[in-house]
Coordinates of all heavy atoms in Angstrom, one line a residue:
S149 N -36.6 125.5 -153.8 CA -36.5 125.7 -155.2 C -35.6 126.8 -155.6 O -35.4 127.7 -154.8 CB -37.9 125.8 -155.9 OG -38.4 127.1 -155.6
L150 N -35.1 126.9 -156.8 CA -34.2 127.9 -157.3 C -35.0 129.2 -157.5 O -36.1 129.2 -157.9 CB -33.6 127.5 -158.6 CG -32.6 126.3 -158.5 CD1 -32.1 126.0 -159.9 CD2 -31.4 126.7 -157.7
P151 N -34.3 130.4 -157.3 CA -35.0 131.6 -157.6 C -35.3 131.7 -159.1 O -34.5 131.2 -159.9 CB -34.0 132.7 -157.1 CG -32.7 132.0 -156.8 CD -33.0 130.5 -156.8
S152 N -36.4 132.4 -159.4 CA -36.7 132.5 -160.8 C -35.8 133.5 -161.5 O -35.5 134.5 -161.0 CB -38.2 132.9 -161.0 OG -38.3 134.2 -160.8
R153 N -35.4 133.1 -162.7 CA -34.5 133.9 -163.5 C -35.0 133.9 -164.9 O -35.4 132.9 -165.4 CB -33.1 133.4 -163.5 CG -32.4 133.5 -162.1 CD -31.0 132.9 -162.0 NE -30.9 131.5 -162.4 CZ -31.2 130.5 -161.6 NH1 -31.6 130.8 -160.4 NH2 -31.0 129.3 -162.0
S154 N -34.9 135.0 -165.6 CA -35.3 135.0 -167.0 C -34.2 135.6 -167.8 O -33.5 136.5 -167.3 CB -36.6 135.8 -167.2 OG -36.4 137.1 -166.9
G155 N -33.9 135.1 -169.0 CA -32.9 135.7 -169.8 C -31.5 135.5 -169.2 O -30.7 136.4 -169.4
G156 N -31.2 134.5 -168.5 CA -29.9 134.3 -168.0 C -29.5 135.2 -166.9 O -28.4 135.6 -166.7
G157 N -30.5 135.7 -166.1 CA -30.3 136.6 -165.0 C -30.5 138.1 -165.4 O -30.5 138.9 -164.5
A158 N -30.6 138.4 -166.6 CA -30.9 139.8 -167.0 C -32.3 140.2 -166.8 O -33.2 139.4 -166.8 CB -30.5 140.0 -168.5
T159 N -32.6 141.5 -166.6 CA -33.9 141.9 -166.4 C -34.6 142.0 -167.7 O -34.0 142.1 -168.8 CB -34.0 143.3 -165.7 OG1 -33.2 144.2 -166.6 CG2 -33.4 143.3 -164.3
T160 N -35.9 141.8 -167.7 CA -36.7 141.8 -169.0 C -36.9 143.2 -169.4 O -36.9 144.2 -168.6 CB -38.1 141.1 -168.8 OG1 -38.8 141.9 -167.8 CG2 -37.9 139.7 -168.3
P161 N -37.1 143.5 -170.7 CA -37.3 144.8 -171.2 C -38.5 145.5 -170.6 O -38.5 146.7 -170.4 CB -37.6 144.6 -172.7 CG -37.0 143.3 -173.1 CD -37.1 142.5 -171.8
A162 N -39.5 144.8 -170.1 CA -40.7 145.4 -169.5 C -40.4 145.8 -168.1 O -41.2 146.4 -167.4 CB -41.9 144.4 -169.6
A163 N -39.3 145.3 -167.5 CA -39.0 145.6 -166.1 C -38.7 147.0 -165.9 O -38.1 147.7 -166.8 CB -37.9 144.7 -165.6
S164 N -39.0 147.6 -164.7 CA -38.8 149.0 -164.5 C -37.3 149.2 -164.3 O -36.5 148.2 -163.9 CB -39.5 149.4 -163.3 OG -39.0 148.9 -162.1
S165 N -36.8 150.4 -164.4 CA -35.4 150.7 -164.3 C -35.0 150.6 -162.8 O -33.8 150.6 -162.5 CB -35.1 152.1 -164.8 OG -35.8 153.1 -164.1
E166 N -36.0 150.5 -161.9 CA -35.6 150.4 -160.5 C -35.2 149.0 -160.1 O -34.6 148.8 -159.0 CB -36.9 150.8 -159.6 CG -37.2 152.3 -159.8 CD -38.5 152.7 -159.1 OE1 -39.0 151.8 -158.3 OE2 -39.0 153.8 -159.3
Q167 N -35.6 148.0 -160.9 CA -35.2 146.6 -160.6 C -33.7 146.4 -160.8 O -33.2 146.9 -161.8 CB -36.0 145.6 -161.4 CG -37.4 145.4 -160.9 CD -38.0 144.3 -161.7 OE1 -37.8 144.2 -162.9 NE2 -38.8 143.5 -161.0
E168 N -33.1 145.7 -159.9 CA -31.7 145.4 -160.1 C -31.5 144.0 -160.8 O -32.4 143.1 -160.7 CB -31.0 145.3 -158.8 CG -30.9 146.7 -158.1 CD -30.1 146.6 -156.8 OE1 -29.3 145.7 -156.6 OE2 -30.3 147.5 -156.0
E169 N -30.4 143.9 -161.5 CA -30.1 142.6 -162.2 C -29.7 141.6 -161.1 O -28.9 141.9 -160.2 CB -29.0 142.8 -163.2 CG -28.7 141.7 -164.1 CD -27.7 142.0 -165.1 OE1 -27.0 143.0 -165.0 OE2 -27.6 141.2 -166.0
D170 N -30.3 140.4 -161.2 CA -29.9 139.3 -160.3 C -28.7 138.5 -160.9 O -28.8 137.9 -162.0 CB -31.1 138.3 -160.2 CG -30.8 137.2 -159.2 OD1 -29.7 137.2 -158.6 OD2 -31.7 136.3 -159.1
L171 N -27.6 138.7 -160.3 CA -26.3 138.1 -160.7 C -26.0 136.7 -160.0 O -24.9 136.3 -160.1 CB -25.2 139.0 -160.6 CG -25.4 140.4 -161.3 CD1 -24.2 141.3 -160.9 CD2 -25.4 140.2 -162.8
A172 N -27.0 136.2 -159.3 CA -26.8 134.9 -158.6 C -26.4 133.8 -159.6 O -26.9 133.7 -160.7 CB -28.0 134.5 -157.8
V173 N -25.5 133.0 -159.1 CA -25.0 131.8 -159.9 C -25.3 130.6 -159.0 O -24.9 130.5 -157.9 CB -23.5 131.9 -160.3 CG1 -23.1 130.6 -161.0 CG2 -23.3 133.1 -161.1
W174 N -26.0 129.6 -159.6 CA -26.3 128.4 -158.8 C -25.7 127.2 -159.5 O -25.6 127.1 -160.7 CB -27.9 128.2 -158.8 CG -28.5 129.2 -157.9 CD1 -28.9 130.5 -158.2 CD2 -28.9 128.9 -156.6 NE1 -29.5 131.0 -157.1 CE2 -29.5 130.1 -156.1 CE3 -28.8 127.8 -155.7 CZ2 -30.0 130.2 -154.8 CZ3 -29.3 127.9 -154.5 CH2 -29.9 129.1 -154.0
L175 N -25.4 126.2 -158.6 CA -25.0 124.9 -159.1 C -26.1 123.9 -158.7 O -26.5 123.9 -157.5 CB -23.7 124.4 -158.4 CG -23.3 123.0 -158.6 CD1 -22.9 122.7 -160.0 CD2 -22.1 122.6 -157.6
R176 N -26.6 123.2 -159.7 CA -27.6 122.2 -159.4 C -27.3 120.9 -160.0 O -27.0 120.8 -161.2 CB -28.9 122.8 -159.9 CG -30.1 121.9 -159.6 CD -31.4 122.5 -159.9 NE -32.5 121.7 -159.5 CZ -33.7 122.1 -159.5 NH1 -34.1 123.3 -159.9 NH2 -34.7 121.3 -159.1
Y177 N -27.4 119.9 -159.2 CA -27.2 118.5 -159.7 C -28.4 117.7 -159.2 O -28.8 117.7 -158.1 CB -25.9 117.9 -159.1 CG -25.9 116.4 -159.3 CD1 -25.5 115.8 -160.5 CD2 -26.2 115.5 -158.3 CE1 -25.5 114.5 -160.7 CE2 -26.1 114.2 -158.4 CZ -25.8 113.6 -159.7 OH -25.7 112.3 -159.8
E178 N -29.1 117.1 -160.2 CA -30.3 116.3 -159.8 C -30.0 114.8 -159.9 O -29.2 114.4 -160.8 CB -31.4 116.7 -160.7 CG -31.9 118.1 -160.6 CD -33.1 118.4 -161.4 OE1 -33.7 117.5 -161.9 OE2 -33.4 119.6 -161.5
A179 N -30.6 114.1 -159.1 CA -30.4 112.6 -159.1 C -31.0 112.0 -160.4 O -31.9 112.6 -161.0 CB -31.1 112.0 -157.9
F180 N -30.5 110.9 -160.8 CA -30.9 110.3 -162.1 C -32.0 109.2 -161.9 O -32.2 108.8 -160.7 CB -29.7 109.7 -162.8 CG -29.2 108.5 -162.0 CD1 -29.6 107.2 -162.2 CD2 -28.2 108.6 -161.1 CE1 -29.1 106.1 -161.5 CE2 -27.7 107.6 -160.4 CZ -28.2 106.3 -160.6
I181 N -32.6 108.9 -163.0 CA -33.5 107.7 -163.0 C -33.1 106.9 -164.2 O -33.1 107.4 -165.3 CB -35.0 108.1 -163.2 CG1 -35.5 109.0 -162.0 CG2 -35.9 106.8 -163.2 CD1 -36.9 109.5 -162.2
L182 N -32.7 105.7 -164.0 CA -32.2 104.8 -165.0 C -33.3 103.7 -165.2 O -33.7 103.0 -164.3 CB -30.9 104.1 -164.6 CG -30.4 103.0 -165.5 CD1 -29.9 103.6 -166.8 CD2 -29.2 102.3 -164.8
H183 N -33.7 103.5 -166.5 CA -34.7 102.5 -166.8 C -34.0 101.4 -167.6 O -33.3 101.8 -168.6 CB -35.9 103.1 -167.6 CG -36.7 104.0 -166.8 ND1 -36.5 105.4 -166.9 CD2 -37.7 103.9 -166.0 CE1 -37.4 106.0 -166.1 NE2 -38.1 105.1 -165.5
V184 N -34.2 100.2 -167.2 CA -33.5 99.1 -167.9 C -34.6 98.0 -168.3 O -35.4 97.6 -167.4 CB -32.4 98.4 -167.0 CG1 -31.8 97.2 -167.8 CG2 -31.4 99.4 -166.6
C185 N -34.7 97.7 -169.5 CA -35.6 96.7 -170.0 C -35.0 95.3 -169.9 O -34.0 95.1 -170.6 CB -36.1 97.0 -171.4 SG -37.4 95.9 -172.0
C186 N -35.5 94.4 -169.1 CA -34.9 93.1 -168.9 C -35.6 92.1 -169.7 O -36.8 92.2 -169.9 CB -34.9 92.8 -167.4 SG -34.0 93.9 -166.3
R187 N -34.9 91.0 -170.1 CA -35.5 90.0 -170.9 C -36.4 89.1 -170.2 O -37.4 88.5 -170.8 CB -34.4 89.2 -171.7 CG -33.7 88.2 -170.8 CD -32.6 87.5 -171.5 NE -31.4 88.4 -171.5 CZ -30.3 88.1 -172.0 NH1 -30.1 87.0 -172.6 NH2 -29.3 89.0 -171.9
D188 N -36.2 88.9 -168.9 CA -37.1 88.0 -168.1 C -37.0 88.4 -166.6 O -36.2 89.2 -166.2 CB -36.8 86.6 -168.3 CG -35.4 86.2 -168.0 OD1 -34.7 86.8 -167.2 OD2 -34.9 85.2 -168.6
M189 N -37.9 87.8 -165.8 CA -37.9 88.1 -164.4 C -36.7 87.8 -163.7 O -36.2 88.4 -162.8 CB -39.2 87.5 -163.8 CG -39.5 88.0 -162.4 SD -39.7 89.8 -162.4 CE -41.5 89.9 -162.6
A190 N -36.0 86.7 -164.1 CA -34.7 86.3 -163.5 C -33.7 87.4 -163.7 O -32.9 87.7 -162.8 CB -34.3 84.9 -164.1
A191 N -33.6 87.9 -164.9 CA -32.6 89.0 -165.2 C -32.9 90.2 -164.4 O -32.1 90.9 -163.9 CB -32.6 89.3 -166.7
A192 N -34.2 90.5 -164.3 CA -34.7 91.7 -163.5 C -34.3 91.5 -162.0 O -33.8 92.4 -161.4 CB -36.2 91.9 -163.7
A193 N -34.5 90.3 -161.5 CA -34.2 90.0 -160.1 C -32.7 90.2 -159.9 O -32.2 90.7 -158.8 CB -34.6 88.6 -159.7
R194 N -31.8 89.7 -160.8 CA -30.4 89.9 -160.7 C -30.0 91.3 -160.7 O -29.1 91.8 -159.9 CB -29.6 89.1 -161.7 CG -29.7 87.6 -161.5 CD -28.7 86.8 -162.5 NE -28.9 87.1 -163.9 CZ -29.8 86.5 -164.7 NH1 -30.5 85.5 -164.2 NH2 -29.9 86.8 -165.9
L195 N -30.6 92.1 -161.6 CA -30.3 93.5 -161.7 C -30.7 94.3 -160.4 O -30.0 95.1 -159.8 CB -31.0 94.2 -162.9 CG -30.8 95.7 -163.0 CD1 -29.4 96.1 -163.1 CD2 -31.6 96.2 -164.2
I196 N -31.9 94.0 -159.9 CA -32.4 94.6 -158.7 C -31.5 94.3 -157.5 O -31.1 95.1 -156.7 CB -33.9 94.2 -158.4 CG1 -34.8 94.8 -159.4 CG2 -34.3 94.5 -157.0 CD1 -36.2 94.2 -159.4
A197 N -31.1 93.0 -157.4 CA -30.2 92.6 -156.3 C -28.9 93.4 -156.3 O -28.4 93.8 -155.3 CB -30.0 91.1 -156.3
A198 N -28.3 93.5 -157.5 CA -27.0 94.2 -157.7 C -27.2 95.7 -157.4 O -26.4 96.3 -156.7 CB -26.5 94.0 -159.1
A199 N -28.3 96.3 -157.9 CA -28.5 97.7 -157.7 C -28.8 98.1 -156.3 O -28.4 99.2 -155.8 CB -29.5 98.2 -158.7
R200 N -29.5 97.3 -155.6 CA -29.9 97.6 -154.2 C -28.7 97.6 -153.3 O -28.8 98.2 -152.2 CB -30.9 96.6 -153.7 CG -32.3 96.9 -154.2 CD -33.4 96.3 -153.4 NE -34.7 96.7 -153.9 CZ -35.7 95.9 -153.9 NH1 -35.6 94.7 -153.5 NH2 -36.9 96.4 -154.4
S201 N -27.6 97.0 -153.7 CA -26.4 97.1 -152.8 C -25.8 98.6 -152.8 O -25.1 98.9 -151.9 CB -25.3 96.2 -153.3 OG -24.8 96.5 -154.5
V202 N -26.2 99.4 -153.8 CA -25.7 100.8 -153.9 C -26.9 101.8 -153.8 O -26.7 102.8 -153.1 CB -25.1 101.0 -155.3 CG1 -24.6 102.4 -155.5 CG2 -23.9 100.0 -155.5
F203 N -28.0 101.5 -154.3 CA -29.1 102.5 -154.3 C -30.3 102.0 -153.5 O -30.6 100.8 -153.5 CB -29.6 102.7 -155.8 CG -28.5 103.3 -156.7 CD1 -27.9 102.4 -157.5 CD2 -28.1 104.6 -156.6 CE1 -26.9 102.9 -158.4 CE2 -27.1 105.1 -157.4 CZ -26.5 104.2 -158.3
K204 N -31.0 102.9 -152.8 CA -32.1 102.5 -152.0 C -33.4 102.2 -152.8 O -34.2 101.4 -152.5 CB -32.4 103.6 -151.0 CG -31.4 103.8 -149.9 CD -31.9 104.8 -148.9 CE -31.7 106.2 -149.4 NZ -32.0 107.3 -148.5
N205 N -33.6 103.0 -153.8 CA -34.8 103.0 -154.6 C -34.6 102.2 -155.9 O -34.2 102.8 -156.9 CB -35.3 104.4 -154.9 CG -35.6 105.2 -153.6 OD1 -36.2 104.6 -152.7 ND2 -35.1 106.4 -153.5
V206 N -35.0 101.0 -155.9 CA -34.9 100.1 -157.1 C -36.1 99.2 -157.1 O -36.5 98.7 -156.1 CB -33.6 99.2 -157.0 CG1 -33.5 98.3 -158.2 CG2 -32.3 100.0 -156.8
G207 N -36.7 99.0 -158.3 CA -37.8 98.1 -158.4 C -38.3 97.9 -159.8 O -37.9 98.6 -160.7
V208 N -39.2 97.0 -159.9 CA -39.9 96.8 -161.2 C -40.9 97.9 -161.4 O -41.8 98.1 -160.6 CB -40.6 95.4 -161.3 CG1 -41.4 95.2 -162.5 CG2 -39.5 94.3 -161.1
Q209 N -40.8 98.6 -162.5 CA -41.7 99.7 -162.8 C -42.9 99.2 -163.6 O -44.0 99.7 -163.4 CB -41.0 100.8 -163.5 CG -41.9 102.0 -163.8 CD -41.1 103.2 -164.4 OE1 -39.9 103.2 -164.5 NE2 -41.9 104.2 -164.7
S210 N -42.7 98.4 -164.6 CA -43.8 97.8 -165.4 C -43.4 96.5 -166.0 O -42.2 96.2 -166.1 CB -44.2 98.8 -166.5 OG -43.1 99.0 -167.4
W211 N -44.3 95.8 -166.4 CA -44.1 94.6 -167.2 C -45.2 94.3 -168.1 O -46.3 94.6 -167.9 CB -43.8 93.4 -166.2 CG -45.0 93.0 -165.4 CD1 -46.0 92.2 -165.7 CD2 -45.3 93.5 -164.1 NE1 -46.9 92.1 -164.7 CE2 -46.5 92.9 -163.7 CE3 -44.6 94.4 -163.2 CZ2 -47.1 93.1 -162.4 CZ3 -45.2 94.6 -162.0 CH2 -46.4 94.0 -161.6
S212 N -44.8 93.7 -169.2 CA -45.8 93.2 -170.2 C -45.2 92.0 -170.8 O -44.1 91.6 -170.4 CB -46.0 94.3 -171.3 OG -44.8 94.6 -172.0
Q213 N -45.8 91.4 -171.7 CA -45.4 90.1 -172.3 C -44.0 90.2 -172.8 O -43.7 91.0 -173.8 CB -46.3 89.7 -173.4 CG -46.0 88.3 -173.9 CD -47.2 87.6 -174.4 OE1 -48.3 88.1 -174.3 NE2 -47.0 86.4 -175.0
G214 N -43.0 89.6 -172.2 CA -41.6 89.5 -172.6 C -40.8 90.7 -172.3 O -39.7 90.8 -172.6
K215 N -41.4 91.7 -171.6 CA -40.6 92.9 -171.2 C -40.8 93.3 -169.7 O -42.0 93.4 -169.3 CB -41.0 94.1 -172.1 CG -40.7 93.9 -173.5 CD -41.1 95.2 -174.3 CE -40.8 95.0 -175.8 NZ -41.2 96.1 -176.5
I216 N -39.8 93.3 -169.0 CA -39.8 93.8 -167.6 C -39.0 95.0 -167.5 O -37.8 95.0 -167.8 CB -39.3 92.7 -166.6 CG1 -40.3 91.5 -166.7 CG2 -39.3 93.2 -165.2 CD1 -39.7 90.3 -167.4
M217 N -39.6 96.1 -167.0 CA -38.8 97.4 -166.9 C -38.5 97.6 -165.5 O -39.3 97.7 -164.6 CB -39.7 98.6 -167.4 CG -39.0 99.9 -167.5 SD -37.7 100.0 -168.7 CE -38.7 99.8 -170.2
V218 N -37.1 97.7 -165.2 CA -36.6 98.0 -163.9 C -36.2 99.4 -163.8 O -35.6 99.9 -164.8 CB -35.4 97.1 -163.6 CG1 -34.8 97.4 -162.2 CG2 -35.9 95.6 -163.5
A219 N -36.5 100.1 -162.7 CA -36.1 101.5 -162.5 C -35.2 101.6 -161.4 O -35.4 101.0 -160.3 CB -37.4 102.4 -162.3
V220 N -34.1 102.4 -161.6 CA -33.1 102.6 -160.5 C -33.1 104.1 -160.3 O -32.8 104.9 -161.3 CB -31.7 102.1 -160.9 CG1 -30.7 102.4 -159.8 CG2 -31.8 100.6 -161.2
W221 N -33.4 104.6 -159.1 CA -33.4 106.0 -158.8 C -32.2 106.4 -158.0 O -31.9 105.8 -157.0 CB -34.6 106.4 -158.0 CG -35.9 106.4 -158.7 CD1 -36.6 107.4 -159.4 CD2 -36.8 105.2 -158.8 NE1 -37.8 106.9 -159.9 CE2 -37.9 105.6 -159.5 CE3 -36.7 103.9 -158.3 CZ2 -39.0 104.7 -159.8 CZ3 -37.8 103.1 -158.6 CH2 -38.9 103.5 -159.3
G222 N -31.4 107.4 -158.5 CA -30.3 107.9 -157.8 C -30.7 108.6 -156.5 O -31.8 109.1 -156.5
D223 N -29.9 108.6 -155.5 CA -30.3 109.1 -154.2 C -29.7 110.5 -154.0 O -30.2 111.2 -153.1 CB -29.7 108.2 -153.1 CG -30.3 106.8 -153.2 OD1 -31.4 106.7 -153.6 OD2 -29.6 105.9 -152.8
E224 N -28.7 110.9 -154.7 CA -28.0 112.1 -154.4 C -28.5 113.3 -155.2 O -28.8 113.2 -156.4 CB -26.5 111.9 -154.6 CG -25.9 110.8 -153.7 CD -26.1 111.1 -152.2 OE1 -25.9 112.2 -151.8 OE2 -26.3 110.1 -151.5
G225 N -28.5 114.5 -154.6 CA -28.8 115.7 -155.3 C -28.1 116.8 -154.6 O -27.7 116.7 -153.4
L226 N -28.0 118.0 -155.3 CA -27.2 119.1 -154.7 C -27.8 120.4 -155.3 O -28.0 120.4 -156.5 CB -25.7 119.0 -155.0 CG -24.9 120.1 -154.6 CD1 -24.8 120.2 -153.1 CD2 -23.5 120.0 -155.2
E227 N -28.0 121.4 -154.5 CA -28.4 122.7 -154.9 C -27.8 123.7 -154.0 O -28.0 123.7 -152.8 CB -29.9 122.8 -154.9 CG -30.5 124.1 -155.4 CD -32.0 124.0 -155.4 OE1 -32.6 123.1 -155.9 OE2 -32.6 125.0 -154.8
M228 N -26.9 124.6 -154.6 CA -26.2 125.6 -153.8 C -25.9 126.8 -154.6 O -25.6 126.7 -155.8 CB -25.0 125.0 -153.1 CG -23.9 124.5 -154.1 SD -22.5 123.7 -153.4 CE -21.6 125.1 -152.9
A229 N -25.8 127.9 -153.9 CA -25.4 129.2 -154.5 C -23.9 129.2 -154.6 O -23.2 128.8 -153.7 CB -25.9 130.3 -153.7
L230 N -23.4 129.6 -155.8 CA -21.9 129.9 -156.0 C -21.6 131.3 -155.9 O -20.5 131.7 -155.5 CB -21.5 129.3 -157.3 CG -21.6 127.8 -157.5 CD1 -21.2 127.3 -158.9 CD2 -20.8 127.0 -156.4
A231 N -22.6 132.2 -156.2 CA -22.5 133.6 -156.1 C -23.8 134.2 -155.7 O -24.9 133.7 -156.1 CB -22.1 134.3 -157.4
G232 N -23.8 135.2 -154.8 CA -25.0 135.8 -154.3 C -25.7 136.7 -155.4 O -25.1 136.9 -156.5
P233 N -26.8 137.3 -155.0 CA -27.5 138.2 -156.0 C -26.7 139.3 -156.5 O -27.0 139.9 -157.6 CB -28.7 138.6 -155.2 CG -28.9 137.7 -154.1 CD -27.5 137.2 -153.8
D234 N -25.7 139.8 -155.7 CA -24.9 140.9 -156.2 C -23.7 140.4 -157.0 O -22.9 141.2 -157.5 CB -24.3 141.6 -154.9 CG -23.6 140.7 -154.0 OD1 -23.5 139.5 -154.2 OD2 -23.1 141.2 -152.9
G235 N -23.6 139.1 -157.3 CA -22.5 138.6 -158.1 C -21.3 138.2 -157.4 O -20.3 137.8 -158.0
V236 N -21.2 138.5 -156.1 CA -20.0 138.2 -155.3 C -20.0 136.7 -155.0 O -20.9 136.2 -154.5 CB -20.0 139.1 -154.0 CG1 -18.8 138.7 -153.1 CG2 -20.0 140.5 -154.3
P237 N -18.8 136.1 -155.3 CA -18.7 134.6 -155.0 C -18.9 134.3 -153.5 O -18.5 135.1 -152.6 CB -17.3 134.3 -155.4 CG -16.9 135.3 -156.4 CD -17.6 136.6 -155.9
V238 N -19.6 133.2 -153.2 CA -19.9 132.8 -151.9 C -18.6 132.2 -151.3 O -18.3 132.4 -150.1 CB -21.0 131.8 -151.8 CG1 -21.2 131.2 -150.4 CG2 -22.3 132.4 -152.3
F239 N -17.8 131.5 -152.1 CA -16.6 130.9 -151.6 C -15.4 131.6 -152.2 O -15.3 131.9 -153.4 CB -16.5 129.4 -152.1 CG -17.7 128.7 -151.6 CD1 -18.8 128.4 -152.5 CD2 -17.8 128.2 -150.3 CE1 -19.9 127.7 -152.1 CE2 -18.9 127.5 -149.9 CZ -20.0 127.2 -150.8
A240 N -14.4 131.9 -151.4 CA -13.2 132.6 -151.8 C -12.1 131.5 -152.2 O -12.2 130.4 -151.8 CB -12.6 133.5 -150.7
D241 N -11.1 131.9 -152.9 CA -10.1 131.0 -153.4 C -9.3 130.5 -152.2 O -9.0 131.0 -151.3 CB -9.1 131.7 -154.3 CG -9.7 132.0 -155.6 OD1 -10.8 131.4 -155.9 OD2 -9.1 132.8 -156.4

């Protein structure tokens, strides 16, 4: 998980003067969840077949009279530091 930060990396007013400011910069991309309401089971089956060619996690999430909800979960995510706690970039030009 990401390090906790408050106020955009600045120390809080209650923090002691001995604490240093955390200047770390993080890049975070989270996978998506797409919900599609299909008109019938045949439409849901076609969507699931098409989506499974690209995504591993696809399926019917719920159904009720006349509504079938298909969920497609993205597989990719990324979390990495761009600058360390001292503010120095991790990657040079």
